[in-house]
Structures are given as structure tokens and as C-alpha cells.
Amino acid sequence: MRASVPITVDGLKSACSQCNLVELCLPFGMSDRELSRLDELVGARRKVKRQHNLYRAGDSFEAIYAIRAGSFKTDVLLEDGREQVTGFQMTGEILGLDGISTEAHSCNAVALEDSEVCVIAYDKLEQMSHEIEGLQLQFHKVMSREIVRDHGVMMLLGSMRAEERLAAFLLNMSQRFTARGFSPSEFNLRMTREEIGSYLGLKLETVSRAFSRFQEDGLIAVQQKHVHLLDLAGLKRLIQHQHGAR
Amino acid sequence: MRASVPITVDGLKSACSQCNLVELCLPFGMSDRELSRLDELVGARRKVKRQHNLYRAGDSFEAIYAIRAGSFKTDVLLEDGREQVTGFQMTGEILGLDGISTEAHSCNAVALEDSEVCVIAYDKLEQMSHEIEGLQLQFHKVMSREIVRDHGVMMLLGSMRAEERLAAFLLNMSQRFTARGFSPSEFNLRMTREEIGSYLGLKLETVSRAFSRFQEDGLIAVQQKHVHLLDLAGLKRLIQHQHGAR
DNA sequence: CACACCCGTTGACCCAAGTCAACCAACATT
DNA sequence: AATGTTGGTTGACTTGGGTCAACGGGTGTG
């Protein structure tokens, strides 16, 4: 059992207008004037320690969260204990959108490392969306992007083979690290093989074997959580031409 | 190859205030005054014939659609031709939310039977959301519900066995037919075994076999697309206790 | 800084679902 | 009513990924 939520709300005002994550986060595409108004919206920051929950399924929904530092996973649990990881989130990405529909969260959000989020009270967001032109549109785009992402995961889970899934996962990570100014080809994963497996609908052994296979084939170099993508094009080819198929 | 979009926009004004689908659709929870304002929003209806596309991946995004009659599937295609059905939609449900993020649709929407939708111009919706209190919230809830639904599908695809997936699918259909005033236990499916299979990440033969198995076990009676659920509780049990597992 | 414990890797074996094929029932077309 | 076509069922066989088990290397905690 994991320890329960040790919330640390420090009073620090988070200013979107000062934040270097603007192009990745909710304020994307907004004017300077709009941006300064947005600073009112983001109430406080909250630190979440590794392995601790930002929220849990069933928690009443009050706010959405923008990741300022660190990373998270979201998962849903079945009564019999089976876990499905529904996503991994990095800086600038928004957590908690699932809660709007029923006013309670429907999944768990767990920090993969010591992390910090900006708390955006939902009622304030609603209100401010009426006032700030670009905010409403941008918020809709964030939600829509999540829907599109989810469809991609369905494609992955429903129609791809184990190695294709892992290749798609690695390319997706690469792309997101790149967008954050990191190397497209070398990074440290924050999640375990088991979590990757849960996300990809595979067992951890299968994930591990696929990593080894990619290494044998010269596509990547892995050591534990450190991944070096040696042949981006090769990985992409893997996804498109369903090789084993006739 | 399917024939291309034969659009039939008839000038008929669709009045939300008159529509019997309000409790299932976008206007849910709005006051009478708000509702009458909403009538301006819904421009026209559009008929879509069976097997025809309401929109295609890549089409520029202009509007979302509320299903007035009939049903649809949405799917995404991989370069190599693999199809993943991402959802089946019934009356009152909203199509096209995927298009907001990039201003182009990212999936295909195909009518499973001759159908009719209400066309809701997105720019008008944006504008009117600023004015009508309840509309913005309701729209956010619709999007959020879609995200939650997608997470459920991921659970299904990532963590369930073939028979569990089909049981979950049948129970979901039952629940949605019930919400529309139809029998919870007897209905006609509008999609083929292959489409069900694609949605559930299974081959059509596996779907067919699972149907037969359920029939042998007295859980359902099937004949072609007609399904009679004989033991709702039994089907639910199937999902929860991952029987084969240790 | 030592010692668990967790995480990752690998091998041997197994089984659920996929593949291939044959056949039949509906339904649409003429 | 005849015929072609599509959709569904079932059987025999194959296989990709799951299961079980053993082991070794990291790393975070006391």
C-alpha cells in the first residue's frame, strides 16, 4: 500500500507570464495581455513526492493541474486489482480533465518522480473562459488533443503487435522530449517496465524482451531506464510495415 | 472503395427546445430560457446514408454533430490499411470533438445505418459559450465524458480477455439502449462482427466464438445482429472475476 | 555503507487468440 | 425465383505473448 496524499501547497504564486513552459501549456497562443490576466487563474503550486497521488479515482473534482516540473502516470483500477495505465504526462501537460464530467475524478494520478503542479481551480477557469477570448479555445484544444491521443492509444492496443507498440511508445517519448528541448534520441524513462507494459497492454517480460530485441537489432541501446535511440527511421519502419503479416 | 460523401443538407431548422433527445444531448441540464437561445446554434440537419462518411480524417474542422437519428462508428486507419474502430455512437451523442485540436478531423465517422445529425458550427458554439452560462459547462462535460469513455476502452483493450471484452461491450450497449428508452436486454446491433472485433482488439472469428460461447452458457441468445441478454448479472460477473487468472 | 528489496533480464513451457479454410445463412440485385 | 455477395459460424492448426521461475544488478533507506 502506498502512503496517502501528503499535500504541500506552498503559497508561491505561479505566474504563467513568467513561465518557460507557455508554448507547451494551457496559455499557448494567447496574447501578452491575455497572459497577464491568466496569472490570476493559477492559484498556487503544489509539490507531489514520487509515488504519491495528486488525486485518486473518486476524489471530488475541484481543479485541473498543469505540470510544472516532474512527471506523472494516470491509471484506472478494476475491482479485481488489475491496473491499466492510461497515460504518462510530462511538463506543460494538463492533468485532471477526466473529473469534469461527473465532478469526481475517474482515475488516479501518481507522480513518477518528485514533481510540482500548478493548481487551476475549475470554477475560476470556467468563469475566466467567458472573459478571455483565447482561453476557451485553448482549453478546448487541450481537451480535444487528449481525445485524439486516446484514439492513438486505442490503435496501439487494438491493432499493433508487441514490438510495434514499444516502438510507437519510444518514438512518442522522443517527440515529447524534443518538444521540451531535450535530445530526441537519448533520455531517461521515469517509469518501470511494468508501468510501460500496463500502458501498452503487455506484460513486463514482453516489454523487457522487446527492449532486448531492439538492442540486438541495433535500433536502440538500453541500460535500465536510460534509452538511446540509434535508428529513429528503423523504429518508424517497424510501425508502418506490419512485417509479420501477410 | 466506398462512395464519397453525398451530403444532404435540408434547410429544416432543428429546434433543441422541441427535441426529445435533450436529456441525452448537449443541451442537458440547461434552463428553458437557455434552451430557446440554443435553437439558434443548431444550423441545419444533415442526412447521412448507411456506409457513407459524415467526415473523414484530414477534413477541415468546421462543426461538431449531434446524432438525431441512426448511429455511427468512428475509426482511424494506419498507413498499411489496418483499421481501429475507436467508438460506436448513438442518438444524442456528439461527433467530431477530435477535430478541435488541430482544426482538422483525425478520424473517420461512418453511418452504420441511414442517419441524421444536427450540425453545430464550432465558431458559433465558441461564441455562444461565452454568453450562455450552462452551455460551456455542458460542452466541457461532453468532452470530459469522452475522455473517461476512452480510458474505459483502454482498460478493455489493455487488461481484459476476449470474453470479458465482449461482455463489457454488450453491457455497455444495453446500458445505452436503456437510456434511450429501449429494452435493456434485447436489441439489434448495427455493426458487423468485424467492426466489433476491431473495436475490441479481436478478430471477427474470436468475436463470433465468444458470442457462441455465451449462448452455450445460457448468458445470451444471439441470432445474427439480434441479441437477447438472458443473464445480465452473469455477464457482469464475467468482467469482475478474471476467472482464468491466478 | 550495507543490506534488502525492487527492478530488469532471460529461459522454458503453455495457452488464448490468430490464421486459414470450408461452409452456410441473409440479403440485395435482377 | 435465381444468383451473387456479404456476413457469420465452426473446425483444425499455429503462434505471439503470457506464465512461471531463477538470477543478478541497482538503488534507496536505515
Side-chain angles (χ1 to χ4, degrees):
Chain A
M1 282 284 109
R2 264 157 200 170
S4 196
V5 212
I7 312 171
T8 324
V9 182
D10 44 27
L12 278 170
K13 278 297 276 183
S14 323
C16 291
S17 52
Q18 310 295 335
C19 182
N20 59 344
L21 290 167
V22 252
E23 311 91 43
L24 292 162
C25 197
L26 192 59
F28 178 74
M30 292 172 57
S31 71
D32 284 355
R33 255 189 64 245
E34 291 177 331
L35 210 58
S36 65
R37 291 231 37 211
L38 209 64
D39 288 349
E40 301 165 37
L41 182 57
V42 179
R45 296 188 216 148
R46 177 170 147 192
K47 287 187 200 292
V48 186
K49 282 219 173 310
R50 186 177 128 87
Q51 301 281 48
H52 286 143
N53 282 63
L54 173 60
Y55 56 81
R56 288 169 198 275
D59 285 359
S60 94
F61 171 71
E62 312 288 348
I64 62 170
Y65 307 93
I67 304 177
R68 206 179 145 77
S71 54
F72 288 79
K73 69 169 176 181
T74 47
D75 65 12
V76 289
L77 265 49
L78 227 52
E79 295 84 338
D80 60 14
R82 281 180 282 181
E83 180 198 28
Q84 175 68 36
V85 171
T86 54
F88 298 112
Q89 296 79 20
M90 328 196 350
T91 50
E93 295 176 335
I94 305 294
L95 279 161
L97 299 174
D98 59 284
I100 301 173
S101 75
T102 59
E103 281 150 52
H105 287 286
S106 66
C107 65
N108 306 291
V110 182
L112 295 174
E113 59 194 308
D114 292 358
S115 301
E116 191 175 11
V117 297
C118 298
V119 180
I120 303 169
Y122 181 68
D123 52 5
K124 255 199 239 172
L125 175 67
E126 277 269 304
Q127 186 198 307
M128 206 168 277
S129 295
H130 285 297
E131 298 161 22
I132 305 179
E133 187 63 32
L135 179 59
Q136 188 185 59
L137 177 60
Q138 194 48 34
F139 182 58
H140 290 172
K141 286 194 176 185
V142 167
M143 294 202 96
S144 176
R145 197 178 310 138
E146 174 67 16
I147 292 172
V148 174
R149 189 195 70 83
D150 290 349
H151 290 175
V153 177
M154 287 184 210
M155 177 89 231
L156 207 120
L157 291 169
S159 314
M160 290 180 152
R161 313 155 95 290
E163 293 186 1
E164 297 178 297
R165 295 185 200 185
L166 186 63
F169 169 75
L170 290 172
L171 289 169
N172 177 259
M173 292 304 283
S174 162
Q175 182 251 300
R176 286 155 76 195
F177 276 117
T178 308
R180 280 156 188 81
F182 298 109
S183 165
S185 61
E186 214 168 351
F187 44 83
N188 281 296
L189 298 172
R190 303 290 140 84
M191 65 295 283
T192 66
R193 298 291 189 262
E194 185 168 24
E195 287 164 335
I196 296 171
S198 171
Y199 179 61
L200 298 178
L202 303 168
K203 295 290 154 182
L204 67 306
E205 293 95 329
T206 307
V207 174
S208 180
R209 278 186 247 269
F211 269 118
S212 303
R213 185 84 207 293
F214 287 173
Q215 181 148 267
E216 280 167 38
D217 295 352
L219 292 167
I220 66 170
V222 229
Q223 199 181 36
Q224 305 291 125
K225 294 198 157 61
H226 187 82
V227 178
H228 191 170
L229 308 184
L230 302 170
D231 182 3
L232 273 293
L235 289 169
K236 279 177 198 151
R237 242 176 290 125
L238 235 164
I239 302 173
Q240 273 142 25
H241 323 292
Q242 184 193 9
H243 38 152
R246 53 240 59 201
Chain B
M1 280 282 111
R2 263 158 202 169
S4 197
V5 211
I7 313 168
T8 324
V9 181
D10 45 28
L12 279 170
K13 278 298 277 182
S14 325
C16 291
S17 51
Q18 309 296 337
C19 183
N20 59 343
L21 290 165
V22 254
E23 310 92 43
L24 292 161
C25 197
L26 192 58
F28 178 74
M30 292 172 58
S31 71
D32 285 354
R33 254 188 63 246
E34 290 177 330
L35 210 56
S36 65
R37 291 231 37 211
L38 209 63
D39 289 347
E40 301 164 37
L41 183 57
V42 179
R45 296 189 214 145
R46 176 171 148 192
K47 287 188 200 292
V48 186
K49 281 220 172 309
R50 186 176 130 85
Q51 301 282 46
H52 286 144
N53 282 64
L54 173 60
Y55 56 80
R56 288 168 197 276
D59 285 358
S60 95
F61 170 71
E62 312 289 348
I64 61 169
Y65 307 93
I67 304 177
R68 205 179 146 76
S71 54
F72 288 80
K73 70 169 177 182
T74 46
D75 63 14
V76 290
L77 264 50
L78 229 53
E79 295 83 339
D80 60 14
R82 280 180 283 181
E83 179 198 28
Q84 176 68 37
V85 171
T86 54
F88 298 112
Q89 296 79 20
M90 327 196 350
T91 51
E93 295 176 337
I94 305 294
L95 279 160
L97 299 174
D98 59 284
I100 301 173
S101 75
T102 59
E103 283 151 50
H105 287 286
S106 67
C107 65
N108 307 291
V110 182
L112 295 174
E113 59 193 309
D114 292 358
S115 300
E116 192 175 11
V117 298
C118 296
V119 180
I120 302 169
Y122 181 68
D123 52 5
K124 256 198 237 171
L125 175 68
E126 278 270 303
Q127 187 198 307
M128 205 167 277
S129 294
H130 285 296
E131 299 161 20
I132 305 178
E133 187 62 30
L135 179 60
Q136 188 184 59
L137 176 60
Q138 194 49 31
F139 182 59
H140 290 172
K141 286 195 174 182
V142 167
M143 294 202 96
S144 176
R145 196 176 312 138
E146 174 66 17
I147 292 170
V148 173
R149 188 196 70 84
D150 291 349
H151 290 174
V153 178
M154 286 184 211
M155 177 88 231
L156 206 119
L157 291 170
S159 313
M160 289 180 154
R161 312 155 89 283
E163 293 186 3
E164 297 177 299
R165 295 185 200 186
L166 186 63
F169 169 74
L170 290 173
L171 289 168
N172 176 260
M173 292 304 284
S174 161
Q175 183 250 300
R176 286 156 74 197
F177 276 116
T178 309
R180 282 158 186 80
F182 299 107
S183 164
S185 62
E186 211 168 351
F187 44 82
N188 281 298
L189 298 172
R190 303 290 141 85
M191 65 295 281
T192 66
R193 300 290 189 262
E194 185 168 24
E195 287 164 336
I196 297 172
S198 171
Y199 180 62
L200 299 178
L202 303 169
K203 294 290 155 181
L204 66 306
E205 294 94 328
T206 307
V207 175
S208 181
R209 279 186 246 270
F211 268 118
S212 302
R213 186 85 208 294
F214 287 173
Q215 181 148 264
E216 279 167 40
D217 296 352
L219 291 166
I220 66 171
V222 229
Q223 200 185 30
Q224 305 290 124
K225 294 196 156 64
H226 187 83
V227 179
H228 191 170
L229 308 184
L230 302 170
D231 183 1
L232 273 292
L235 288 169
K236 280 178 196 148
R237 244 177 288 125
L238 235 163
I239 303 174
Q240 272 142 28
H241 321 293
Q242 185 192 8
H243 39 156
R246 55 240 59 202

